[in-house]
């Protein structure tokens, strides 16, 4: 059994998605998600991409992500906007409520724990 996993994202079929209509604030964002790993304990890892738009986010899960390209703004309710560009990292914890705005198509890799 190998304890390391290398992957070629071009060999993985992405899932398509979009924000729920009741969360959409502006634009017409479309998501692509390449789920690369699902581990015991509700842990997921992969790559996510969105085209421009803005929507409400409500987190029940814990997520660490690293922005690979693009420009997004994450704003916690009552907080200051956080501009994210290539190389930036963030952790969103369960209970986070706010908005995600994609200014320029954004791609990130992520690890989520449900």
């Amino acid at each position: 059994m190998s304890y390391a996993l290398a992957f070629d994202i071009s060999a993985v079929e992405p899932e398509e998605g979009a924000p729920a209509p009741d969360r959409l604030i502006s634009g017409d964002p479309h998501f692509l998600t390449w789920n690369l790993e699902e581990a015991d304990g509700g842990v997921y890892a992969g790559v996510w991409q969105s085209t421009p738009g803005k929507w409400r986010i409500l987190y029940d899960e814990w997520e660490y992500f690293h922005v690979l390209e693009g420009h997004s703004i994450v704003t916690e309710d009552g907080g200051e906007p956080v501009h994210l560009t290539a190389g930036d990292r963030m952790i969103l914890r369960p209970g986070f409520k706010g908005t995600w705005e994609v200014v320029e198509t954004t791609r990130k890799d992520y690890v989520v724990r449900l």
Side-chain angles (χ1 to χ4, degrees):
M1 174 181 199
S2 175
Y3 291 96
L5 173 66
F7 59 87
D8 175 2
I9 194 169
S10 67
V12 178
E13 187 69 31
E15 296 175 17
E16 296 184 29
D22 63 331
R23 293 192 183 181
L24 185 63
I25 296 170
S26 65
D28 185 24
H30 292 277
F31 307 154
L32 292 175
T33 303
W34 293 264
N35 288 310
L36 303 174
E37 176 82 310
E38 180 178 341
D40 292 340
V43 176
Y44 298 85
V47 176
W48 174 89
Q49 178 176 293
S50 177
T51 58
K54 184 176 183 178
W55 61 94
R56 296 234 1 109
I57 53 175
L58 310 167
Y59 270 67
D60 293 326
E61 64 275 7
W62 176 95
E63 178 182 2
Y64 162 85
F65 64 85
H66 172 232
V67 177
L68 302 171
E69 60 187 55
H71 176 202
S72 282
I73 303 167
V74 174
T75 307
E76 187 169 9
D77 288 350
E80 295 295 316
V82 177
H83 290 259
L84 300 164
T85 58
D88 291 333
R89 295 163 179 87
M90 181 175 256
I91 293 174
L92 296 175
R93 295 182 177 101
F96 181 95
K97 296 178 184 175
T99 59
W100 188 297
E101 179 179 6
V102 174
V103 179
E104 296 172 1
T105 296
T106 296
R107 182 179 282 202
K108 66 178 182 173
D109 54 12
Y110 65 85
V111 177
V112 170
R113 181 162 191 230
L114 302 180

